[in-house]
Amino acid sequence: MTLVAGIDSSTQACKVTVRDLATGAQVREGKASHPAATIVDPEAWWAALLLAVDRAGGLADVEAVSVSGQQHTPVFLGASGEVVCPSPLWNDTGSHRQMTDLNAELGRDEWIRRTGLPLTLSDTVAKLRWLRDVDPTSADRTAAVAVVHDWLTWRLRGFGPTGGPTGDLAELITDRSEASGTGYWSPDSGEYCLDLVEHAFGAAVLLPRVLGPLERAGVTGVGIPGIPAGIAVGVGSGDNAAAALALGLAEGDTVLSLGTSGVVYTRSAEPVHDYAGHVCNYADATGRHLPLVATLNAARNLDAGAALLGCTHDELSDLALQAPPGAEGLTLVPYFEGERTPDLPQARGSLMQASLANFTRPNFARAVIEGTLLNQVAMLQALAACDLRTDRLILIGGASRSPAVREVLTQLVDVPVVLPGPDEYVTRGAAMQAVSTLTGSFPAWPVERVSLPAAASEPRIGQQYEAATGALGYR
């Protein structure tokens, strides 16, 4: 049996999967948590990777490995390869002012025209301006900027402070999917827009070289605990690109991922430039494009609801299914951490239309789920406005395990909803990229899918939500 490994360095944790190359079946796995903060020392991500590898039994019997990771989040590196300062995560809202400044300076449409991105506070370019503004000393020391997956891949190859030669920044590599989320890469030319980097940061910096979908990044370096030297290292990708690869998206498929963030994406042969300002044109892991819309608030809303009610997630789902559609008028607008889509970084969650009659545990549980899902359904409408059709909705992410989430979603959309078999699709996609370093192509691993029962449409849920967001001045 030939084994490969996929690594997912996500917002909340690092996960490692070891799989059979021939079938994709998981042989073993490991996981380690990341800090809960939104500004993090990157060394914590490297430590978590090594711990997750150890918990997965090491990689001594593995032939190839590849890394996927949270998009956008920068790692600022000095001339000797050292980390200059902690990194602001993609979901850190401190860069909102910098995003608005960049839009004001060049015009929002110019960013969309050149990069396919309606700039958000999550994009790497906004984090560059943030560092320049809040920590100019660190900005002056910065010689190169990578994102998380780029930096971890570089470390796996033996570069950085604990590996081989420490200053070889020219060995930084990335892929199209990660480059496309920076705010300084063109989906039309496939090249960096270096003038946008200098405009945002005030200086030129070295950027990772962009490799093609089937290129090999190199091999693992010497002296890494649990990871032998000489293992093939794949190019890797951003987390959503890896999941899309693992799911084998067909034309007309749209994914709704309910994790830390809510993400909706589909596949496109051509780049999308959405001047309405909602759809971000990211690249996928195959050479095509992955138009995507994202929210900051998703599965953690359910965490908060369960904590407040003092119940488990299963009990939250049971309670929600006891309430009628619309929760008797109780409506939650779940902008607990501010929001990215729509652009409301200072907003907070609001519970609307509560009365002595409807303020019950079941109604509250249902309002949490309805509010969370309605924020995601709006993203489907944004894709449709760009002539990106959805024939089938694929539901993934931690919150997809909730029976109430599944039932409510089918009441809110008019397309079939399918649920893939349980798997870690980001690590699976990364493992598929590892396979490509050995075979020259992606494997055709099968994906089990179950169609959810169709349900009668419940338009009152959306009508209540629109009334609530309108009353708050959010529309």
Side-chain angles (χ1 to χ4, degrees), residues 123-355:
D123 298 326
T124 316
V125 72
K127 309 300 184 184
L128 296 185
R129 175 60 67 86
W130 173 86
L131 187 69
R132 191 201 77 172
D133 288 352
V134 305
D135 188 357
T137 300
S138 292
D140 288 343
R141 290 180 54 209
T142 298
V145 177
V147 298
V148 177
H149 140 265
D150 312 341
W151 182 71
L152 291 175
T153 300
W154 187 66
R155 295 291 301 272
L156 277 174
R157 293 166 56 220
F159 303 106
T162 61
T166 58
D168 206 345
L169 298 177
E171 290 292 339
L172 286 165
I173 62 94
T174 192
D175 84 309
R176 294 171 65 257
S177 70
E178 292 285 31
S180 69
T182 60
Y184 41 80
W185 182 83
S186 167
D188 298 294
S189 70
E191 302 290 337
Y192 285 121
C193 304
L194 297 177
D195 61 313
L196 297 181
V197 178
E198 293 194 42
H199 177 84
F201 201 49
V205 292
L206 188 145
L207 301 174
R209 183 165 53 95
V210 182
L211 299 185
L214 296 174
E215 290 191 68
R216 179 190 286 201
V219 297
T220 53
V222 175
I224 304 174
I227 305 175
I231 297 174
V233 179
V235 62
S237 64
D239 49 5
N240 294 305
L245 178 64
L247 289 164
L249 289 197
E251 186 175 347
D253 283 346
T254 297
V255 173
L256 169 54
S257 175
L258 293 173
T260 303
S261 60
V263 180
V264 170
Y265 54 84
T266 189
R267 179 161 283 163
S268 172
E270 302 296 330
V272 173
H273 298 267
D274 178 22
Y275 291 97
H278 304 300
V279 179
C280 299
N281 189 89
Y282 299 137
D284 74 357
T286 71
R288 302 180 76 189
H289 299 272
L290 202 69
L292 178 151
V293 196
T295 66
L296 293 181
N297 299 276
R300 288 185 298 174
N301 301 345
L302 277 62
D303 296 341
L308 187 61
L309 292 175
C311 65
T312 66
H313 279 269
D314 288 344
E315 291 166 341
L316 183 77
S317 178
D318 292 342
L319 283 168
L321 292 175
Q322 294 171 24
E328 297 183 282
L330 192 66
T331 303
L332 177 71
V333 180
Y335 300 157
F336 292 109
E337 298 293 328
E339 192 45 81
R340 162 178 168 164
T341 308
D343 178 29
L344 297 166
Q346 305 305 321
R348 291 295 178 263
S350 300
L351 190 65
M352 307 290 287
Q353 296 298 313
S355 69

Side-chain angles (χ1 to χ4, degrees), residues 302 313-314 316-317 369 395 398-407:
L302 277 62
H313 279 269
D314 288 344
L316 183 77
S317 178
I369 290 171
L395 178 62
S400 69
R401 292 190 289 268
S402 165
V405 165
R406 300 176 189 178
E407 180 171 317

